[in-house]
Amino acid sequence: MNRERFDAWLRNIYETQDEEISCTECFDLVSRFVELETSGRDAVAELPKVKQHIEQCRACRDEYETLRDLARFENEGGAPSLDDLRSSIR
Ligand SMILES: [Zn+2]
């Protein structure tokens, strides 16, 4: 790897990290993300970093899917049964 490519590679890593959020930040934002989504707003446009993170992070994606499923149950008017909860947590 020559010097120029190395610099570009390094810059790339730091810039990517700059734009990424941590799991903790994602955790704080993901319920807001689901809220926006279930109220019909464009959650991806408002919180693109959450979207980016859950696409890359398995743990946060699971968290997101669980919250989303719960929100969906609530929207449909019924509280989730224990079995529903179990299957959404898995
Ligand atoms: Zn994460």
Side-chain angles (χ1 to χ4, degrees), residues 20-30 53 56-61 63:
E20 281 174 6
I21 55 173
S22 68
C23 288
T24 315
E25 283 172 291
C26 185
F27 190 81
D28 286 343
L29 289 169
V30 77
H53 187 89
Q56 292 168 357
C57 177
R58 182 68 217 262
C60 290
R61 192 163 60 240
E63 172 71 21

Side-chain angles (χ1 to χ4, degrees), residues 13 18 25 52 62 65 70:
I13 289 176
D18 249 11
E25 283 172 291
Q52 185 194 29
D62 284 350
E65 284 171 358
L70 284 175

